Every structure is written in structure tokens, then in C-alpha cells.
Amino acid sequence: FIQERLIKHSRGRILDSEGETIADNRLAYDVYVTFALLPDSLKNLRLLAEPLKIPKTELVDFDRELLERVHNNIDEFLTLKEDIEPKQCADILEIARTKMISGLKMQKYRVKNRELCRILVSSLEFPSQKQTLNYLSSLLNIPMQTLLEPWQKAHNKSGGIGRFKANLLLPDVGFDAYARIENAISLGSLSGISVAPAKRRRYVHGNFATQLIGYVNQVSLADIQKRSGYRSGDSIGRSGIEASFEEILRGKDGIERVVVDAKGRRFDEAWEESLLGEKRLIEPTAGNSIKLSIDSDLQRSAQELFKGVSGSVIVADVETGFILAMASFPNFDLNTLVSGDNSKFYSQLVADKLKPLRNKAIQDHYAPGSIFKSVTAIAGLSNKFITPSYVHYCSGNYQIHRTVWRCFKREGHGPISLFEAVKVSCDSYFYELGHRMGLDALTNVAQKLGFGSKTGITLLGETPGILPTREYYKKRFGYVAPGSVVNISIGQGELTVSPIQMAMAYAAIANGGNLFEPQIVKEIINEQGDTIKKFDPVLRSHLGDASSNFDEILHGLSFVTEPGGTAYGLRYNPDHADIAKWLKDENISIVGKTGTAQVVKLAKNIKHLMVVDQVPYAQRDHAWFVGLYPKEKPKIVIVVMTEHGGFAGSTSAPVAVRLMKKWHEKNVALPKADEG
């Protein structure tokens, strides 16, 4: 037979912003089965039985008994024929030798001074598909039942001409198993089985940027039918960068045509070349590599600093929209997911209620809480419903008809300006502002800042969130309630946003109104290391001449860690002594906003911020923090979303400020001069 053997290509590498490898490939060994080359026990029996004139029906019955013992792993000799002449027995053994049929022996005996013999067949040595399967099971050191499922899958893909093609049976069996199988093949005792070197994905740091990087696994039959160029056993990106840039990362397999005998053993290579010529070998083509915008130092810090159970962290460049870090929690080791035996692990990930397979930075959406107040303020300023000096009297609640909305400070803030309202996060101020300007004025500005639509990030599964416009309410409820805008104005109600939307919106506030499309990939690099494509910032929209409005908001946000600010505890809480020291020593002012979004409605007499530890985890508030750094001309935006984190000032804010410190030390702080 002329058999085609694939030479697997190298999938392109994934690199961080400084060229450090995040994902590459390692050597592996895959086991293939060619069903047309598998031994046929009945066919072999017919070859042996022809001189013995054994009826076909008897051979079929004998074959059935033989295979039953193989299936049950019973080592036993069955009598094929007895009371025959020794010469005829010798002739049968010679046929078996020339046809390389193992598992036969001759047994002599005497009957009334006459020498006779019988032909015995070994159940576990006589060539058959089941014997091959049984032998392979022992070589791989795995139970037969474990091998049956992939065997059946390979068989299902081998219809028609596929019988003559090598179908992937088991990936990544390890070098020891590879050596044992190769030895068995060379001895002619494993017909129809081949083993070939392959490439497997390796994630250098295991759980680094898990959901962002994504993973690969084997193509399904549906994949092969839908996408050209894929074969059984190929890998395909399933999520993250691996999926979104599949066409870039994927290379092209090579083909080596070899000549094998009926046992699958290869002939002399020089003879093959003279027979097949130049068509014998087609070299593989490697995939292109991708250089990300991810800063590995920031990414590692984000993953180490996050103390919640579930949530996400984003760090982005304010001036370009490029993502510097994106972490989703809980995460896991990608290498375990792409290992040979990963079905149990994958099932655990799917069943996990915390949904570790989801990239919560882009795929999940939540009520934003108070971090949305900046949007409400910009809408009020842009539409001239307020000025920076406008003062509202906060009595602790706001009422429309019989409906009362309470400020988080039940006793009220008294007379309060926009600056103070942003600083202390007065709910009542924004209730009144939202009600006065109306739903349309607020949602129009929110839409310009990217809410209610996808950001365009090149990752699968992004959510647009929910921006409840007038059309939304009419379609869902048939009317627009007067209080709808009141809830939205403080980031509650029907409004939901994703962390990536919030990052881009605050970046636009910081850079003067440029709403960028978030990007992760900076360059595409070929196998030779040459850059073949660079990605420039993509501007989605510009919010007109509203820079003065943004400056007012940024000024209010710059007091979040000052006395009265919602994250003031970072300056004195002993749990955050490192932050307090940095803020004091470097005279740092943090620009940011906390947001504590209710998940369930608590009783009116309960102050939800004060009873975090007494509330069941699933009922605790979500904790947001959005930070900009540095204060003057911010360069980065940081979003920390801690699901059920309680008070944002003590959960999400410390993570963001420590990331600011990390960025400062890497990009701003000058190295100390050498002493002496």
C-alpha cells in the first residue's frame, strides 16, 4: 500500500507585548488506525482451512468462539482441526509462516500406533481486530473499555475510502507507549496501527490569562463538514485568542507518502523515493504568530491581587484602547484542559456554577451601580440640565408620587454640589438629575459612550449588555414608567454593562472623548520572525467638544481616597498599609469611582453596606471599581469587578490601586542612583 502520513504543522505562537512566549507547541505522539490494514480473523482462518476442506459454516462458528474469548481476555487454545496427518499440519504451519499469521501450533499424538496431529489456535495471539485492540490496550497500559470509545469514533469516520486512511485513535500517548507500539509494528504483530510524531499546544504559564488566551481541542465531525482543510485529529481554537485568530495561528500539514506492507511495516526509504519521486514528501507550513498587547507583569499582578471568588480585572491604555491585562476568575490550568485525557476535567469546568470557562470581562454583564453616575453627570452637563456649581438638597431620599428611592446615607447629605456628589457618591443627587433630564437624554449619551452595544473586541461571545431605552421599555412592558430613569441614573434597574464597556467608556472620559475599540493583538509575525501586520488604534466615535465636562468629572473622581471619598479607607486601614504608604510617600491622588450594585433587594431597614458578612454569598452586592492613573493626563484605566464582593472600597479598590502602583513602578518611577 502507498500510505499517506501527515506531518503536523507548528501552530503559531502567542506572545506578550515584550515577545515573551505565552503559548507554543511541544512534541507529542499520536496513535492512528487504518481499518483496511487491520487483520481479519475469518479471512486468515479461510487461508489456513482451505487445504483442510473445513466447511464455511464451521469456520464462521469457530471464528465466533475465538473472538468471544478475545473479548473476554481468555487465553486459551482452540482446536481448529484434529486427526490429520503430520505433513498436513506442517503445511498449515508453513502457510501461517509465509502469511505471517501468528498464534498457531501443532500438537502430535498417537492413535493405535498411528501418528496424527491437531492444529491449535491461540485466542489471544491469532490476528484479529479484537486481538489488535486487546494487544494495543496492553501496550498503552489502559483498560479495554477506555479504548473502545475512541476506537468506535475512529471507525465512524472511516467509511468508504476512509478505510484506507489513517484515522486518529488516541492523541498524545507519551514516548514510552510510542516506543512499545513502534517495536510491535516492526515485529509485524500490530497490523493496521501506526504512530506518528505530532505537535500539541503548550501553555507556558498554565493559568496565565486563561480565558483571554483560550484553548484548542480536536475537530469534530461537524467541524470537518463545515470547514475545509481540516482532518480527523486536527486541532482547532475553541475560545479566546486561539479561536478568534484560528486562521492566523493555523498552518498547513505536510504529507509523507510511504510504502507499507499488509502489516503496516515500511519499506526501504531509498526505494520509496525512486518509486514516488518528488511527490513523496510535502513539507508542512507553520502558522503565523501573534504578539499581544498584554503586559505580563500587570497580568500576573492582576491575577495575584484579586481576592474575590469570581469576577474580572481589566487594564487598558487610555490613549489607544489596547488591553494591557485581562483576567477572569476563577481560572484554571489550560494545559490540563488540552491534555490527552481531559474529559473529566472539562465536565467539571462545565458543571462549575462559577462558570470558569466564561471570560467575565467581556461575556458577562451586571448592574454597574455608582460607577455609572459619571455617565449621568456627563449627560446632565452636556444637555445643560446642571452646571458644576448646581446644588441639590439631599434629604436621604427622593420621591416621585408614592415611590421613594433612598440614598445610601439614610440621614442625607444636605446641600450638595456635583463635585461633592461624585466624591461621596450621593444617590439622591443623581436620582433628581436623572428624573429632570429624562430617559432619552441619559441613554443618548450612554450610547455614545458605547453602552448597549458590543465594543468590537476580537474575542468570541461578547455581550452588548442592556441599555434600556424608550424603545426597550415599550417593547418589553408596553410603557415607560416615570421611575425607570431614576433607577438607571445610579446604575441600577434594567441597566447592565460589561467590564470591557466600562473600561472603554472611562478611557473616553479620560482622553477627552475618544471612544476606542478595545484591541488585544498588536502584531502578526511570520515563521521567520518578520512582522507582516501591525494593528493601529481604532477610533469608534468622538463625543464632540465635551472635554470641559469630562474635566469636571475627573476632578470629582480624584477625591475617591480622600476624606469623605468612598475608598478613603485605603489611606488608613492597616490591611492596606502598603497602599497608604505609597499614596503618602509619592503624594499620589487616585482618580476613581466605586460601585456597589445590589443583586437582591434587601429590607428597607437594612443598610446593605454594613452587613456584608451576614448576607449569604449569592445575595451580596457586586463590587466595582474603575480607576484612572495618573491623575494628570491618565495613561491607563483599570476596572475591577468582584462578583458578590460587598463594599467595593474594601474589595475591588485595593486591587486597582495596587495595579496602579505596579504600573507606576514599571513606567514612571526612576531607578535609584548607585550608591558610592
Side-chain angles (χ1 to χ4, degrees), residues 22 103 109 219 232 248 262 274 372 430 501 521-522 603 610 616 659:
I22 298 173
Y109 58 92
V219 292
S232 174
I248 303 294
S274 66
F372 194 76
F430 294 97
Q501 286 175 326
V521 176
K522 291 177 66 177
M610 305 302 293
L659 283 171

Side-chain angles (χ1 to χ4, degrees), residues 523-542:
E523 297 177 18
I524 296 175
I525 302 169
N526 65 18
E527 188 179 9
Q528 291 72 39
D530 300 321
T531 298
I532 58 177
K533 183 175 181 180
K534 282 189 176 182
F535 292 84
D536 296 320
V538 177
L539 183 64
R540 292 180 65 195
S541 63
H542 181 72

Side-chain angles (χ1 to χ4, degrees), residues 177-230:
Y178 159 76
R180 290 193 295 269
I181 293 170
E182 277 283 29
N183 183 60
I185 292 171
S186 68
L187 296 174
S189 55
L190 205 56
S191 302
I193 301 299
S194 58
V195 61
K199 301 290 178 62
R200 283 289 174 275
R201 208 56 163 160
R202 181 179 75 117
Y203 299 100
V204 178
H205 306 294
N207 66 349
F208 181 89
T210 300
Q211 295 83 0
L212 169 63
I213 301 303
Y215 65 96
V216 300
N217 65 13
Q218 282 187 44
V219 292
S220 64
L221 185 58
D223 292 323
I224 295 172
Q225 292 170 344
K226 286 190 300 184
R227 308 178 72 154
S228 62
Y230 287 83

